[in-house]
Each structure stands twice: as structure tokens, then as C-alpha cells.
Amino acid sequence: MASLKRSVDSDPLAANISNKIYVRSTKSGKVQKIVREVYLRQDIPCSSRLCQRCQTVAPKDASGKLIPFVLSDSPAGTKVFPQGHYLVPDTNAFLTAMDLFEQDSAFYDVIVLQIVLEELRNRSLPLYNRLISLTKSEDKRFYVFFNEFRLETHVPRLEGETVNDRNDRAVRKAVAWYGEHLARIKGKDVPAIVMLSNDRDNLRKAKQEGINACSLADYVKQLKDGEKLLDMIPETQDQDNIKEKRPGDNLYPEYFSMSKMMTGVKNNLLHQGIFNVSPYNYLEGSIRVPAFPKALLILGRENINRAVDGDLVVVEVLPKDQWKEPSTQVIEEDAITKNENPDAEESDDFVSEKERKALQEEVKRTHSKTTEGHAQPTARVVGVIKRNWRQYVGHIDQSSVSQSAQQGRKQDSVFVIPMDKKIPKIRLRTRQVSELLGKRILVTIDAWDRSSRHPSGHFVRSLGELETKAAETEALLLEYDVQYRPFPKTVLDCLPKEGHDWKVPQSLEDPGWKDRQDLRDLLICSIDPIGCQDIDDALHSRPLPNGNFEVGVHIADVSHFVKPGNAMDAEASIRGTTVYLVDKRIDMLPMLLGTDLCSLKPYVERYAFSVIWEMTPDADVVGSRFTKSVIKSREAFSYEQAQLRVDDSSQQDDLTKSIRTLLDLSKKLKQKRLDAGALSLSSPEVKVQMESETSDPIDVKTKVHLDTMSLVEEFMLLANTSVARRIYEAFPQTAILRRHGAPPKTNFDELANQLKVKRGLDLSVESSRALADSLDRCVDEKEPFFNTLVRIMATRCMMSAEYFCSGTQAYPEFRHYGLASEIYTHFTSPIRRYADLMAHRQLAAAIEYEAIHPSTRSRGKLEAVCKNINVRHRNAQLAGRASIAYYVGQALRGKATEEDGFVMKIFSNGFVVLVPRFGIESLIRLRDLAEVEPQAEFDAETYTLQTSGSREVKVELFQKVRVRVTDQKDETTGKRGVKMELVRTY
Amino acid sequence: MPLDTSTYGLALLRVDGRRWNELRRIYAQIRTQAAADGSSYLEMGHTKVMCVVTGPSEPGPRRGAGISSAGGAGGGGGGAGGQSKDAEVVVNIVIAGFSSVDRKRRGRSDKRTLEMQSTLANTLAATLHTHLFPHSQITISLHVLSQDGSLLAALINAATLACVDAGIPMTDYVTACTAGSTSTYAANDEGADPLLDLNHQEEQELPGLTVATLGESDRVVALVCESRVQISRLEGMLAVGVDGCKQVREILDQVIKAQGQKMILEGTVDKGTGLNDMDLD
């Protein structure tokens, strides 16, 4: 450190001291009065490159470094301010139009006032974070001016003044100060300081005080491409007047006040939870609250009362006479429970146990009665605690567009239909209707007034033509919140400088070789799907003199390249996983690492992290060790190649022999796993074949299972389990592990009953072993697919596996139900999963290869990481599936094929058919069966649907049916999807 | 609600508008209680403490609450403490219920308070010339009126002032302050700046330590670090802390000299009686 002495001229006693006094209320409802000191100073620079004076007082950090000045010396001008200008937006401007500020075409040289930043943070944390990242971007030139700490711009609150008025005054004062400050620069045309605000009162006062001030709309109009940007300004502000004029015709009931809701929730009169919309019926929602075991139903527009899927809402249970008879359309309720999000946050512990129990009993009683045909508790939304609005992808509803709007440039209201069926139509005002028609567009919701049937929003950007590959892919990525932007420069800077020329150092003295074992002479190979570029894992085996085998799993040493805490690590931890779409891969790590430097490519030396076991010929592990290593893979096989090689008895070279050994051992390992009760589950998997030139989908193939696949799988499972034990031993509190909870028995009730009634089969679910065995017994000689069907259905009854930090669960909870393993983690794919990377770091520390990095052992951090990667992992899966579904639809486009399918779900008004050939399932409704909807009789006891009238057909559960598969564009969502028609039953 | 400590990097300003190397305002007074042997009142920002020193005097009947220096163990030390060759330093801290945002009653057996009492007792016992007063006891009572971070440092400073006021011979001023670092432990930011004199919010969010030094020297007499921080950052924090202690000494020295001058002017003490060398500018 250069010098830690204080400079003499900044004596704190000379500083002016003020106090900031404010009142805050805590979660538990306490009101606290906080008094904070504020030291006012005169050495906070204006950060304009024009200003010489501020350069002299600019602050230095402890190592004597200056923060460079941000604001340009020749900022862009507008029509009104040709000499150039700096912008000073108020809080409202950021709150309503953050999208605008992120534009590339305008909004440079912005002064963000401290008071604005503060207010923004209190109002919306995501927006605050977006603004912070803007201030960090070099080319946007956003400067945070701490106006509250500068003596001249500090504004004490006057008596009787509201906080908002005081803050507005502070903004105006800062604008005025900037104006005067810059005016003192001699000899140059100083830029104008322009305040941006949408608050009329504030603008008026600014005009009075002689400050340049514009509303967002006025300002944007002065810009070159203003027309387009204009749409991004939310229009709710303009409506202030209109709303005042007619307060009478409100469609929705008013929300309760926050305090009323809080008191209600505390006293257990109201309930708080996350609002979920049924995917089959947008007018039916449900909310799971801690007080009741089952979700409460919320039916109808009025009761939903402007809640949008995902919002944190407060509901009131409706009187008993309004409880709804369970509809025969079981379809909705079923779907709800399937999509239930159990993450009910902020459960209130202050509810008296007695009261809760009483109410619970009440609901329980009713719940149990529902099976006998009684009413089910319903509720209505009385307020929203927190909106969970994001940006939605959708398209403009053609029918909502008026003729005139298609030509003119007049602002017009249209409806946007979101891709996500759970989101209501969004009203959008735009001037570019004609351009946006037929495009995928991104919109956000701004508000939902009582007087408006639909929420109103504004346009963010266009993704491109509907049904074009680029637009649909981007839409999919946005819907599943996949981070697909190119890696920023800061991340790329973390890559090795040598780029693709990076090599394992020749000299064994190189620090890279420290504690690394030389395994280059081993016959290592990798086996992966065809065309795999990011090769995570490679294997070897060799006989040992004592008759045992040495087996090694070598995993790409990603942690060597991605150091904890740097920008690349941060980016990877946000992305969490690589997302595989049919035609695209969104990498977690930059290409250079993923497909080259880390990838265990054949014929070149690579760093690896090896797990090496000694195994008996019966595949019992005698000993295991972990080491960082250098390997040289002899060959990269595809599953098919490897299989051919193993099967070809003329191949007797050492490499082939070692693969045979591995295969042999893997079969034994698998048997052991199955004996221990591991489940072999199933999900319909298909592969879309693309034309190589145009990459248009041409055909769909079901995936074939090869022995070599389970070879790789078994050793990866073994490696993961071994590593999990080791890191748990080293870090009992902070090891990153993966668990799979045992599913509640009730999950299987329906399936067990179905099997019993339809096939006379018993499904026992006491343990994973029992379940595995009874699944094995579920066979139908005539129909080999039946077993797979049952397995698919059983898989849907399971919980999803999750990452967790070992300190958060008791040891018995670590269990991985599906794999029947006591402890498990992910270690073998660090190139594409962040969890594996963390496991690598922890293992490296456990074997004392390197010191543990604080972030890898701070529990809070790890928990946050786990939470994020769990979400990312799930989204990646959903996005992958959605992508396959889209391409299956594309492949089927214009074709109509007849396929065999199986009935996997049956309702009173339709049934769901799974077509294994395409891995798709679809609902066939009664009204799809014939022109006139046939009458139907549904027997819930025997899961049979007998139709009569226009078409007579009898559909049973598990039945094999012949369906015609065509593609169809869903008019409401604009999604191309698969449509099935029943041809005949077998 | 104001911003948090993560915004430091934006303009090198802390949550209350200070730079990394600035102390808060320190205001101190001595001889605030005329009846006491020695007394002081000290403010470091919004941390406000009062100190009263009684003694050296005959050890009274032992009370369980205070933590003493001699004989090590506090409470049930067998009553032999008062008979030792050195004076015993007994420290008693009372944290007023109204001193923090939430009104909270702290019992006498509050672990944090006990910890601070023993740190203080040991620190002062090392500096006060206790061997001059055998078989006696020096009682230091501290009252915390308001808390806004750096509490232990404020208590040490107030106790030093009160001991000077009580006329107890001591080696030099013991002055203390806190030091921290601008980013959290987990952030592992290599370029984190050290911070001087943490307020309550910074103490909550950032790693920090309390350091006390002797007079103008670099000799550290107390060092308390209860948070996790990278070893590489510790050196910088310590350097800033020690530097801060010197500034605090400067301020305390002025307070005492001003008081001395006032007493001479008022005639409370004669200028001649051993105070010839006192600087009266």
C-alpha cells in the first residue's frame, strides 16, 4: 500500500454534518426510527471531462488510484439542445422506462443522482440492479452523483414536506447545481443539463426555477429515431387525468390496504401465497397457503382480481355457500396440482396454532368430502404483495387491430397474446402496428387498473417474424429466462491469452504441473453422442497384477481455467448450465474453453481431474483416489462407434479390450445399483433429424439405447458418488450435493389405483426397491411399450432432484431416491454445469491440491448458488423440451401421418394420448371427435369414456389407439403445435 | 432506506458520505461528573458513551458483575483479588435499553458485554500503573447511551479520558478505533479498500476489527476481530486502524489540554504545582 496517511486538507472536523432521519417498518410490523449521520463535503466531482476544477479534488482510493471521469466532453445534442446535453432522470423515469435507457441508439451521458438510485432501490431491486450494471458499462457513460453528500446539493426536508416532494426538490437542486457548475467552465460551449421526469408538478416547478426539463415523451421526440423509442414509454402516465374523470366504472374490486392485509394475514383471516394459473383454464387459479394442505381455488375474473401468474398475493377464503362443487372437468384441478409450486414464501409463524388447526380441520373435512361430490374451498384475491411481472414474449392479436391503424402512424391500442397461456392478454399502445403485425415481440406489463379489463403494457423490442427459426428460438430463450447474450468482454478477458494455441506446458517444472499426475501413457478414450464438442469425460481401465482392475474416470479440469470470483466465474454461476436446444447450444462457458481447452479432445494433452479406483472383477471398489492429472485421450468415440468396436470380435487391440472390460464392469455395477433399489425411469425421448445444409428438421427418431451409453453412465454415477462422499467428509457443512427426495406416497395413489383397476397390477411404493420391482412386473405380453408407459407415468409422480448445500439438510435427507444412493453430487460435467465446477473446487481443496476459496465455503453464497442452479437447470430442461416440441411440429409441418398412441390420462371431456414415435402427447377433446360434440359417459371408477351420438367409441386408460398426427398453428398463442385426431381404437 | 455498502465502488463514498480514511466526528469532554474521581463523555459519530472512574480505593464487597483484571477470573475469584499487590481494575459496562434502534434490555450476564468488559479490563490494566496502588481497586463504570458502531473503541477512548481525569498514573493514552474493508469476505475482492472507523451499518455488512494502540507509538495493546476476512486484507486494515488511533490520540490530547488550561485559568489548580511544563497555547 502506497500510503495510509490521511491528507491534511480533508479534516473530518471541518466537514459539515447533517443527519438523515427516517422511519422504516420491519417485517414483523415494528416501526423503527433510524438516525444516520451524513457528512457533507465539497470534493465530490461532477465527473465531466470538461471540468478541470473537479479533477483536482477527485477522490483516490486506498492504493492512490483515481476513478476516471465518466461524462463525455462532447455529448450528443438533440434538436433543442444542439450544444450537447447531460441527462438527469428522476426516479419515475427509471421506474417506467428502464428499457429506454438500455438502448444503444440514445441515452448516453446520464447523471444518476444518489437520491434517485436510493428511491429506485426501494421501489424495485431488479431495476436497481439493471441501473447499476448500466453505470458499470463503459460505453453508456452513466455517472452516479452522490448529491446527498455534496454540501451544495444536500437538501434537508422542510416541515410538512412529503418525502416525494423533498426528493423532487433534491433532484431539481442537483440539476441546477450542475448547470451553474458547468457554466463556470470558460471558453467552451457547455452541455445543457436536462432533467427527465414524467411528474407534471415536478416539470412545472422546474420550469419556474429556470431548469431545462422534459417529459420522457417530449425528450424522445427530439431524438433521431424517436418514433420507435416512443413506444417504449409506458402510457399509464397519460391516463392519470382520464382515470380521475370516471372513477365510477371500475371492473375490479379495490385492493385492501397493506396494513389491513398484514393484520389479516397475521390473524389468519387472510392467506398469503403465490398465485398460479391453471394452464388449461386461464380463469381458474390456485394458491397454496401454509395453513391448508391443498391449494385453494380462485375462480373467475373478479375473484382473480388482476393477479397474474407468479404474483405474491393475499386471498380471503370465500363463505361456504360459495365453495364450488368440484366440476366433472377434472382436467383443470389435475393440471393445477401438477404445476404446483410449493415454494410458498414468507410463511407466517405468528398464527395461533389453535386457530390454524380449526381452520385446517374445516378445509380438510371439505377436501375429503370432495371425492364424494361436495364443494371445495374457494378464495378471492384481496391484494397483491409483490408483482412478479417479467418481460413476456407474444404477438399482436390480428383481430384486435383496427383497419386504420394498419396504415397510419397514429397511436393505437392492440392486444398482445403472450406465448405463455397463463398470462392474460396485454393491452399495448403503439404507433407501429403495421410493422409489428406477424412478429414475435417482447412486451412488459406496466399496470393493471381497476377500470381496465386487461393489463396495459408497452413494447420492448421485436424478435422477428413469427415462425422464423431465429425469432422462435429467441422467444423460447426469453420465456425460459436463458441468458443467451454473447459473453461480455470482461468475461472473455479471463480466458488464457494464448487462445486456441494454449497447450499443456512441456516442462514438468511449470507451475501448471504442480501436484499433477502424469497419466499421458494410459489408454484413455472418450465416448459421447455423435458430434459432441464439449467432451467432459474420458475413461480408461487396465488389469492390475493382482487380478483386479484399475479404472479411471477423467473429467475436464475446468476449475483450472475458471478461477473463483472472477468475471467468468460470475457469469457461469448466473448461467448455471449449458442449454441444449435442437439446433443451438447456449454455453455456460466461452467456446474457447468449452469446446477446446477444457474439452478432452483426442490426440492432444489436456488437464484433467481424475478419479481412479481399484476394482475387483466383480466390480467391488477396493480403493479410490482423486488426483489432478494430465491425460492424452487416444480416441473420441461416438456411442455407436464404440458399440461396433466392442461387438466386432476381430478387434483385439488394447484399447478395445479395455472398453470391453469397462463394459463388463459397468454391467455389474448397474446390477448392483438395481439390487439396491435404483429406479430405471423413462421419459419419451426423441431426436430431431436435421437436413445438414439448411438445418431444417426432416424427421424425428426415437433414441436407441446402446450398452455403451450405460457404460459411460455407470462410471459417471460411480464417480459422482465417490466424489460426493469425499467432499462431504472434507466439508460437512458446505459440500455441494444433489438429492432426490422420496415422493410422498399419495403421489402414486392414482397410478396405483389405475393399474389395479385396469390391469390388476399392484404398485408398491414403500421403498424405491419395492417400486422398482413392482415396475418390473408391470408388463403386458402383447404390448411391449406398456412397461415404458407405466414408467413414464411413474416418473411424473416423482419429485425433482435438487442441488443443496450439505449443511442445510440432515444426513438421511441427502438420499438420492432414483439412484438409490445415500449421497450424490454432480462432478462429471463441469463444462456444462456449474454445480460440477463447484464440486471440482471443493474436491481440489479436499485433496489439498489448493486452498479453498472463501466463496466455495461460505454457506450463504453456496445456498444462493444452489437456488439459482436449481432454477436454471429446470428452465434449461423445459427450454430443451420446448425446442424439441417446436421442431417436431416443424418436422411434421404439412404432413399428416397415422401413428400408434396410448391413452395415458382420461377425463370426462377428453383424453390424453402419447405417441411414442414422436415423444409427444396431446389432448383429444370430445368435441374433436366429430363435427357435433358426442355425448359421453365417463366412468371414473374404471377410467372409461363411452361416447354416444355423433360418434360411438369407447376409450379406456392404457389403451392403444390409432391417431392421425398433423401440425396446427394455435391461433391464440401463435405457437405451432401438434394436433391429434382419433382414427380408431384397437 | 438509504443505499448499502456495495455502492462504495461507484464514487469511493461510504454510506454516510465519508472517504475510506476518514474518522467520524469525535466530541469528548472530561470531568463531567463533579462528584466522581474521574469522568468523561465521548461521542464518535452517533456512538455516545459516558465513563466514571472510582478509585484507586479500598476494595469494597465484591459484586459479581464487574470483570476484573487481576487474578484473571471475574466473579467468584475467591475474594483474594483485593489483597493482591497490584490494584485491581474492575470494568462495568451498562448498555442502556434505549441505545440502539430496538429497545432491548440486556442482562448483566450478556456475553457480548462480558467480553467487552474483560477486553477493557485487560487493556487498561496493562497501561495503568497498578503496582503503585497495592490492595486497592479501580472501578471503571461505562454507560452506553447510544450505539452506532465502533462501540468497543469508544469505550476504550472514554475510559482513557476518565482515567486521566482521575489522575491515575498511566504509561500513555490508550486510544482505539475500528477498521474494516469495503467488500464482504465472500466477495473476495482483491482490490477492496480498507475503511476507517465503521458505523453500525458498515459493521453489520462488512468485515471489521477494533484496534487500540499506546500513545503515539505503533504498539498495539488490544486487537479484536470477530469477522471473517482474507489475511491479505488484514494488513491494510490494521495499518489504517493504527493510523486512526493516532488521530484519535491527537483529538483526546486536545480535549485534555483544553480542560487543563481551563482549570488553570479558573484557578482550580495552581500553575506552579508540577504543571510547569504544560503547554498552555
mmCIF file of all heavy atoms in Angstrom, chain A residues 636-647:
data_model
loop_
_atom_site.group_PDB
_atom_site.id
_atom_site.type_symbol
_atom_site.label_atom_id
_atom_site.label_comp_id
_atom_site.label_asym_id
_atom_site.label_seq_id
_atom_site.Cartn_x
_atom_site.Cartn_y
_atom_site.Cartn_z
ATOM 1 N N ALA A 636 -11.786 -40.357 -29.575
ATOM 2 C CA ALA A 636 -13.108 -39.914 -29.145
ATOM 3 C C ALA A 636 -14.144 -40.695 -29.925
ATOM 4 O O ALA A 636 -14.301 -40.493 -31.124
ATOM 5 C CB ALA A 636 -13.272 -38.414 -29.399
ATOM 6 N N PHE A 637 -14.772 -41.641 -29.263
ATOM 7 C CA PHE A 637 -15.760 -42.472 -29.937
ATOM 8 C C PHE A 637 -17.138 -41.873 -29.808
ATOM 9 O O PHE A 637 -17.431 -41.152 -28.849
ATOM 10 C CB PHE A 637 -15.824 -43.858 -29.280
ATOM 11 C CG PHE A 637 -14.560 -44.663 -29.454
ATOM 12 C CD1 PHE A 637 -13.773 -44.973 -28.364
ATOM 13 C CD2 PHE A 637 -14.186 -45.128 -30.709
ATOM 14 C CE1 PHE A 637 -12.621 -45.721 -28.520
ATOM 15 C CE2 PHE A 637 -13.030 -45.884 -30.855
ATOM 16 C CZ PHE A 637 -12.237 -46.178 -29.761
ATOM 17 N N SER A 638 -17.988 -42.197 -30.750
ATOM 18 C CA SER A 638 -19.401 -41.978 -30.506
ATOM 19 C C SER A 638 -19.926 -43.280 -29.913
ATOM 20 O O SER A 638 -19.260 -44.314 -29.997
ATOM 21 C CB SER A 638 -20.127 -41.654 -31.814
ATOM 22 O OG SER A 638 -20.134 -42.774 -32.639
ATOM 23 N N TYR A 639 -21.108 -43.227 -29.323
ATOM 24 C CA TYR A 639 -21.665 -44.435 -28.716
ATOM 25 C C TYR A 639 -21.726 -45.570 -29.741
ATOM 26 O O TYR A 639 -21.389 -46.705 -29.450
ATOM 27 C CB TYR A 639 -23.080 -44.167 -28.196
ATOM 28 C CG TYR A 639 -23.119 -43.285 -26.964
ATOM 29 C CD1 TYR A 639 -23.882 -42.126 -26.950
ATOM 30 C CD2 TYR A 639 -22.408 -43.633 -25.812
ATOM 31 C CE1 TYR A 639 -23.923 -41.316 -25.830
ATOM 32 C CE2 TYR A 639 -22.451 -42.828 -24.696
ATOM 33 C CZ TYR A 639 -23.208 -41.666 -24.706
ATOM 34 O OH TYR A 639 -23.248 -40.868 -23.597
ATOM 35 N N GLU A 640 -22.139 -45.192 -30.962
ATOM 36 C CA GLU A 640 -22.308 -46.205 -31.989
ATOM 37 C C GLU A 640 -20.966 -46.836 -32.362
ATOM 38 O O GLU A 640 -20.838 -48.051 -32.447
ATOM 39 C CB GLU A 640 -22.963 -45.592 -33.233
ATOM 40 C CG GLU A 640 -24.422 -45.199 -33.058
ATOM 41 C CD GLU A 640 -24.598 -43.877 -32.306
ATOM 42 O OE1 GLU A 640 -23.577 -43.215 -31.983
ATOM 43 O OE2 GLU A 640 -25.747 -43.502 -32.016
ATOM 44 N N GLN A 641 -19.956 -45.962 -32.563
ATOM 45 C CA GLN A 641 -18.633 -46.464 -32.919
ATOM 46 C C GLN A 641 -18.106 -47.413 -31.856
ATOM 47 O O GLN A 641 -17.583 -48.488 -32.146
ATOM 48 C CB GLN A 641 -17.645 -45.309 -33.071
ATOM 49 C CG GLN A 641 -17.805 -44.535 -34.355
ATOM 50 C CD GLN A 641 -16.971 -43.262 -34.318
ATOM 51 O OE1 GLN A 641 -16.693 -42.715 -33.245
ATOM 52 N NE2 GLN A 641 -16.582 -42.791 -35.484
ATOM 53 N N ALA A 642 -18.239 -46.963 -30.614
ATOM 54 C CA ALA A 642 -17.727 -47.781 -29.518
ATOM 55 C C ALA A 642 -18.437 -49.131 -29.493
ATOM 56 O O ALA A 642 -17.814 -50.181 -29.302
ATOM 57 C CB ALA A 642 -17.914 -47.057 -28.195
ATOM 58 N N GLN A 643 -19.752 -49.085 -29.706
ATOM 59 C CA GLN A 643 -20.525 -50.315 -29.674
ATOM 60 C C GLN A 643 -20.058 -51.269 -30.779
ATOM 61 O O GLN A 643 -19.828 -52.451 -30.546
ATOM 62 C CB GLN A 643 -22.014 -49.987 -29.856
ATOM 63 C CG GLN A 643 -22.947 -51.145 -29.605
ATOM 64 C CD GLN A 643 -22.960 -51.547 -28.136
ATOM 65 O OE1 GLN A 643 -23.016 -50.693 -27.262
ATOM 66 N NE2 GLN A 643 -22.861 -52.833 -27.865
ATOM 67 N N LEU A 644 -19.866 -50.720 -31.968
ATOM 68 C CA LEU A 644 -19.418 -51.543 -33.091
ATOM 69 C C LEU A 644 -18.071 -52.188 -32.778
ATOM 70 O O LEU A 644 -17.849 -53.363 -33.032
ATOM 71 C CB LEU A 644 -19.275 -50.675 -34.346
ATOM 72 C CG LEU A 644 -20.584 -50.302 -35.032
ATOM 73 C CD1 LEU A 644 -20.333 -49.339 -36.187
ATOM 74 C CD2 LEU A 644 -21.278 -51.561 -35.533
ATOM 75 N N ARG A 645 -17.204 -51.394 -32.192
ATOM 76 C CA ARG A 645 -15.863 -51.865 -31.900
ATOM 77 C C ARG A 645 -15.890 -52.998 -30.887
ATOM 78 O O ARG A 645 -15.179 -53.983 -30.999
ATOM 79 C CB ARG A 645 -15.069 -50.696 -31.338
ATOM 80 C CG ARG A 645 -13.607 -50.851 -31.625
ATOM 81 C CD ARG A 645 -12.908 -49.527 -31.497
ATOM 82 N NE ARG A 645 -11.503 -49.812 -31.323
ATOM 83 C CZ ARG A 645 -10.544 -49.090 -31.892
ATOM 84 N NH1 ARG A 645 -10.844 -48.068 -32.639
ATOM 85 N NH2 ARG A 645 -9.292 -49.414 -31.682
ATOM 86 N N VAL A 646 -16.743 -52.825 -29.878
ATOM 87 C CA VAL A 646 -16.828 -53.853 -28.842
ATOM 88 C C VAL A 646 -17.412 -55.143 -29.435
ATOM 89 O O VAL A 646 -16.930 -56.246 -29.160
ATOM 90 C CB VAL A 646 -17.713 -53.357 -27.688
ATOM 91 C CG1 VAL A 646 -18.025 -54.488 -26.720
ATOM 92 C CG2 VAL A 646 -17.028 -52.230 -26.948
ATOM 93 N N ASP A 647 -18.419 -54.962 -30.282
ATOM 94 C CA ASP A 647 -19.097 -56.139 -30.828
ATOM 95 C C ASP A 647 -18.250 -56.864 -31.871
ATOM 96 O O ASP A 647 -18.456 -58.047 -32.134
ATOM 97 C CB ASP A 647 -20.428 -55.715 -31.470
ATOM 98 C CG ASP A 647 -21.398 -55.199 -30.424
ATOM 99 O OD1 ASP A 647 -21.148 -55.459 -29.231
ATOM 100 O OD2 ASP A 647 -22.387 -54.535 -30.787
#
